[in-house]
mmCIF file of all heavy atoms in Angstrom:
data_model
loop_
_atom_site.group_PDB
_atom_site.id
_atom_site.type_symbol
_atom_site.label_atom_id
_atom_site.label_comp_id
_atom_site.label_asym_id
_atom_site.label_seq_id
_atom_site.Cartn_x
_atom_site.Cartn_y
_atom_site.Cartn_z
ATOM 1 N N TYR A 176 106.925 97.472 108.284
ATOM 2 C CA TYR A 176 106.870 96.110 108.799
ATOM 3 C C TYR A 176 108.156 95.767 109.552
ATOM 4 O O TYR A 176 108.123 95.203 110.642
ATOM 5 C CB TYR A 176 106.658 95.134 107.638
ATOM 6 C CG TYR A 176 106.767 93.692 108.064
ATOM 7 C CD1 TYR A 176 105.723 93.087 108.752
ATOM 8 C CD2 TYR A 176 107.904 92.939 107.792
ATOM 9 C CE1 TYR A 176 105.815 91.781 109.160
ATOM 10 C CE2 TYR A 176 108.003 91.634 108.194
ATOM 11 C CZ TYR A 176 106.958 91.050 108.876
ATOM 12 O OH TYR A 176 107.062 89.756 109.284
ATOM 13 N N ASP A 177 109.306 96.164 108.968
ATOM 14 C CA ASP A 177 110.582 95.894 109.616
ATOM 15 C C ASP A 177 110.650 96.553 110.987
ATOM 16 O O ASP A 177 111.210 96.007 111.924
ATOM 17 C CB ASP A 177 111.754 96.392 108.754
ATOM 18 C CG ASP A 177 111.959 95.500 107.525
ATOM 19 O OD1 ASP A 177 111.416 94.377 107.533
ATOM 20 O OD2 ASP A 177 112.636 95.929 106.588
ATOM 21 N N ARG A 178 110.055 97.737 111.074
ATOM 22 C CA ARG A 178 110.154 98.479 112.329
ATOM 23 C C ARG A 178 109.139 98.005 113.361
ATOM 24 O O ARG A 178 109.452 97.818 114.514
ATOM 25 C CB ARG A 178 109.971 99.971 112.067
ATOM 26 C CG ARG A 178 110.425 100.813 113.245
ATOM 27 C CD ARG A 178 110.748 102.216 112.834
ATOM 28 N NE ARG A 178 109.595 102.822 112.179
ATOM 29 C CZ ARG A 178 109.654 103.905 111.445
ATOM 30 N NH1 ARG A 178 110.787 104.490 111.219
ATOM 31 N NH2 ARG A 178 108.582 104.413 110.910
ATOM 32 N N PHE A 179 107.897 97.841 112.927
ATOM 33 C CA PHE A 179 106.840 97.561 113.895
ATOM 34 C C PHE A 179 106.381 96.100 113.903
ATOM 35 O O PHE A 179 105.660 95.685 114.788
ATOM 36 C CB PHE A 179 105.610 98.429 113.609
ATOM 37 C CG PHE A 179 105.880 99.890 113.734
ATOM 38 C CD1 PHE A 179 105.688 100.747 112.669
ATOM 39 C CD2 PHE A 179 106.358 100.422 114.935
ATOM 40 C CE1 PHE A 179 105.945 102.094 112.787
ATOM 41 C CE2 PHE A 179 106.612 101.767 115.063
ATOM 42 C CZ PHE A 179 106.407 102.603 113.987
ATOM 43 N N GLY A 180 106.778 95.351 112.888
ATOM 44 C CA GLY A 180 106.346 93.957 112.832
ATOM 45 C C GLY A 180 104.944 93.786 112.307
ATOM 46 O O GLY A 180 104.374 92.712 112.363
ATOM 47 N N TYR A 181 104.352 94.875 111.811
ATOM 48 C CA TYR A 181 103.046 94.761 111.180
ATOM 49 C C TYR A 181 102.847 95.984 110.317
ATOM 50 O O TYR A 181 103.615 96.941 110.404
ATOM 51 C CB TYR A 181 101.932 94.627 112.225
ATOM 52 C CG TYR A 181 101.369 95.935 112.680
ATOM 53 C CD1 TYR A 181 100.092 96.317 112.308
ATOM 54 C CD2 TYR A 181 102.122 96.807 113.456
ATOM 55 C CE1 TYR A 181 99.579 97.529 112.699
ATOM 56 C CE2 TYR A 181 101.611 98.017 113.861
ATOM 57 C CZ TYR A 181 100.336 98.382 113.479
ATOM 58 O OH TYR A 181 99.841 99.582 113.855
ATOM 59 N N VAL A 182 101.838 95.931 109.470
ATOM 60 C CA VAL A 182 101.598 97.054 108.582
ATOM 61 C C VAL A 182 100.147 97.457 108.664
ATOM 62 O O VAL A 182 99.271 96.615 108.768
ATOM 63 C CB VAL A 182 101.945 96.688 107.124
ATOM 64 C CG1 VAL A 182 101.416 97.727 106.164
ATOM 65 C CG2 VAL A 182 103.437 96.550 106.984
ATOM 66 N N GLY A 183 99.914 98.743 108.614
ATOM 67 C CA GLY A 183 98.548 99.229 108.615
ATOM 68 C C GLY A 183 98.155 99.734 109.976
ATOM 69 O O GLY A 183 98.791 99.414 110.967
ATOM 70 N N GLN A 184 97.134 100.537 110.000
ATOM 71 C CA GLN A 184 96.653 101.092 111.252
ATOM 72 C C GLN A 184 95.591 100.150 111.792
ATOM 73 O O GLN A 184 94.948 99.461 111.037
ATOM 74 C CB GLN A 184 96.036 102.472 111.006
ATOM 75 C CG GLN A 184 96.785 103.320 110.027
ATOM 76 C CD GLN A 184 98.231 103.546 110.404
ATOM 77 O OE1 GLN A 184 98.616 103.298 111.540
ATOM 78 N NE2 GLN A 184 99.048 103.971 109.482
ATOM 79 N N PRO A 185 95.394 100.190 113.097
ATOM 80 C CA PRO A 185 94.233 99.481 113.627
ATOM 81 C C PRO A 185 93.008 100.095 112.963
ATOM 82 O O PRO A 185 92.832 101.311 112.998
ATOM 83 C CB PRO A 185 94.271 99.820 115.117
ATOM 84 C CG PRO A 185 95.612 100.406 115.382
ATOM 85 C CD PRO A 185 96.124 100.946 114.082
ATOM 86 N N GLN A 186 92.236 99.271 112.292
ATOM 87 C CA GLN A 186 91.162 99.845 111.504
ATOM 88 C C GLN A 186 89.879 99.902 112.282
ATOM 89 O O GLN A 186 89.242 98.900 112.540
ATOM 90 C CB GLN A 186 90.987 99.065 110.204
ATOM 91 C CG GLN A 186 92.033 99.474 109.207
ATOM 92 C CD GLN A 186 92.422 98.348 108.314
ATOM 93 O OE1 GLN A 186 91.782 97.313 108.298
ATOM 94 N NE2 GLN A 186 93.476 98.535 107.565
ATOM 95 N N GLU A 187 89.542 101.086 112.637
ATOM 96 C CA GLU A 187 88.318 101.260 113.389
ATOM 97 C C GLU A 187 87.477 102.223 112.593
ATOM 98 O O GLU A 187 87.948 103.205 112.083
ATOM 99 C CB GLU A 187 88.617 101.934 114.727
ATOM 100 C CG GLU A 187 89.419 101.069 115.673
ATOM 101 C CD GLU A 187 89.785 101.865 116.905
ATOM 102 O OE1 GLU A 187 88.860 102.316 117.595
ATOM 103 O OE2 GLU A 187 90.963 102.048 117.142
ATOM 104 N N ASN A 188 86.230 101.952 112.510
ATOM 105 C CA ASN A 188 85.339 102.984 112.023
ATOM 106 C C ASN A 188 84.076 102.898 112.823
ATOM 107 O O ASN A 188 83.739 101.854 113.373
ATOM 108 C CB ASN A 188 85.082 102.838 110.520
ATOM 109 C CG ASN A 188 84.109 101.758 110.231
ATOM 110 O OD1 ASN A 188 84.199 100.681 110.794
ATOM 111 N ND2 ASN A 188 83.170 102.022 109.362
ATOM 112 N N VAL A 189 83.429 104.018 112.905
ATOM 113 C CA VAL A 189 82.237 104.049 113.725
ATOM 114 C C VAL A 189 81.196 103.190 113.038
ATOM 115 O O VAL A 189 80.920 103.356 111.865
ATOM 116 C CB VAL A 189 81.750 105.505 113.865
ATOM 117 C CG1 VAL A 189 80.538 105.558 114.769
ATOM 118 C CG2 VAL A 189 82.878 106.353 114.406
ATOM 119 N N GLY A 190 80.653 102.272 113.761
ATOM 120 C CA GLY A 190 79.658 101.408 113.142
ATOM 121 C C GLY A 190 80.216 100.019 112.886
ATOM 122 O O GLY A 190 79.495 99.151 112.438
ATOM 123 N N GLY A 191 81.489 99.808 113.174
ATOM 124 C CA GLY A 191 82.019 98.454 113.155
ATOM 125 C C GLY A 191 82.738 98.087 111.881
ATOM 126 O O GLY A 191 82.216 98.230 110.792
ATOM 127 N N ALA A 192 83.948 97.614 112.031
ATOM 128 C CA ALA A 192 84.740 97.219 110.871
ATOM 129 C C ALA A 192 84.829 95.709 110.828
ATOM 130 O O ALA A 192 84.744 95.045 111.850
ATOM 131 C CB ALA A 192 86.136 97.808 110.989
ATOM 132 N N SER A 193 84.984 95.182 109.655
ATOM 133 C CA SER A 193 85.085 93.734 109.550
ATOM 134 C C SER A 193 86.487 93.275 109.906
ATOM 135 O O SER A 193 86.688 92.159 110.343
ATOM 136 C CB SER A 193 84.735 93.289 108.138
ATOM 137 O OG SER A 193 85.791 93.635 107.262
ATOM 138 N N GLY A 194 87.476 94.145 109.704
ATOM 139 C CA GLY A 194 88.842 93.791 110.045
ATOM 140 C C GLY A 194 89.438 92.766 109.104
ATOM 141 O O GLY A 194 90.491 92.213 109.348
ATOM 142 N N GLN A 195 88.769 92.520 108.029
ATOM 143 C CA GLN A 195 89.212 91.536 107.045
ATOM 144 C C GLN A 195 90.253 92.202 106.141
ATOM 145 O O GLN A 195 89.932 93.190 105.477
ATOM 146 C CB GLN A 195 87.984 91.142 106.223
ATOM 147 C CG GLN A 195 88.149 89.980 105.302
ATOM 148 C CD GLN A 195 88.094 88.659 106.022
ATOM 149 O OE1 GLN A 195 87.709 88.560 107.163
ATOM 150 N NE2 GLN A 195 88.507 87.618 105.340
ATOM 151 N N PRO A 196 91.504 91.726 106.170
ATOM 152 C CA PRO A 196 92.517 92.459 105.420
ATOM 153 C C PRO A 196 92.357 92.354 103.899
ATOM 154 O O PRO A 196 92.764 93.217 103.172
ATOM 155 C CB PRO A 196 93.816 91.821 105.872
ATOM 156 C CG PRO A 196 93.451 90.492 106.421
ATOM 157 C CD PRO A 196 92.037 90.581 106.886
ATOM 158 N N PHE A 197 91.759 91.301 103.428
ATOM 159 C CA PHE A 197 91.603 91.141 101.982
ATOM 160 C C PHE A 197 90.208 90.628 101.696
ATOM 161 O O PHE A 197 89.571 90.027 102.530
ATOM 162 C CB PHE A 197 92.564 90.084 101.433
ATOM 163 C CG PHE A 197 93.983 90.489 101.534
ATOM 164 C CD1 PHE A 197 94.787 89.942 102.508
ATOM 165 C CD2 PHE A 197 94.507 91.428 100.668
ATOM 166 C CE1 PHE A 197 96.096 90.325 102.609
ATOM 167 C CE2 PHE A 197 95.813 91.815 100.776
ATOM 168 C CZ PHE A 197 96.609 91.251 101.736
ATOM 169 N N ASN A 198 89.772 90.840 100.502
ATOM 170 C CA ASN A 198 88.584 90.112 100.105
ATOM 171 C C ASN A 198 88.938 89.385 98.819
ATOM 172 O O ASN A 198 89.957 89.644 98.201
ATOM 173 C CB ASN A 198 87.383 91.049 99.944
ATOM 174 C CG ASN A 198 87.608 92.068 98.857
ATOM 175 O OD1 ASN A 198 88.149 91.738 97.802
ATOM 176 N ND2 ASN A 198 87.223 93.298 99.097
ATOM 177 N N GLN A 199 88.075 88.460 98.466
ATOM 178 C CA GLN A 199 88.362 87.591 97.329
ATOM 179 C C GLN A 199 88.693 88.376 96.061
ATOM 180 O O GLN A 199 89.652 88.077 95.380
ATOM 181 C CB GLN A 199 87.168 86.683 97.054
ATOM 182 C CG GLN A 199 86.962 85.655 98.123
ATOM 183 C CD GLN A 199 88.086 84.652 98.185
ATOM 184 O OE1 GLN A 199 88.996 84.759 99.000
ATOM 185 N NE2 GLN A 199 88.072 83.667 97.319
ATOM 186 N N GLU A 200 87.884 89.411 95.806
ATOM 187 C CA GLU A 200 88.090 90.164 94.567
ATOM 188 C C GLU A 200 89.494 90.763 94.509
ATOM 189 O O GLU A 200 90.162 90.711 93.504
ATOM 190 C CB GLU A 200 87.056 91.282 94.415
ATOM 191 C CG GLU A 200 85.727 90.810 93.871
ATOM 192 C CD GLU A 200 84.827 90.265 94.952
ATOM 193 O OE1 GLU A 200 85.268 90.126 96.110
ATOM 194 O OE2 GLU A 200 83.686 89.963 94.645
ATOM 195 N N ASP A 201 89.886 91.345 95.664
ATOM 196 C CA ASP A 201 91.209 91.964 95.723
ATOM 197 C C ASP A 201 92.266 90.934 95.417
ATOM 198 O O ASP A 201 93.157 91.119 94.609
ATOM 199 C CB ASP A 201 91.504 92.457 97.148
ATOM 200 C CG ASP A 201 90.919 93.843 97.361
ATOM 201 O OD1 ASP A 201 90.454 94.403 96.361
ATOM 202 O OD2 ASP A 201 90.936 94.306 98.501
#
Side-chain angles (χ1 to χ4, degrees):
Y176 173 76
D177 287 344
R178 195 158 56 196
F179 298 121
Y181 89 109
V182 167
Q184 320 303 345
Q186 281 148 11
E187 292 174 60
N188 78 315
V189 182
S193 73
Q195 190 78 13
F197 293 104
N198 62 41
Q199 291 294 98
E200 278 84 353
D201 275 352

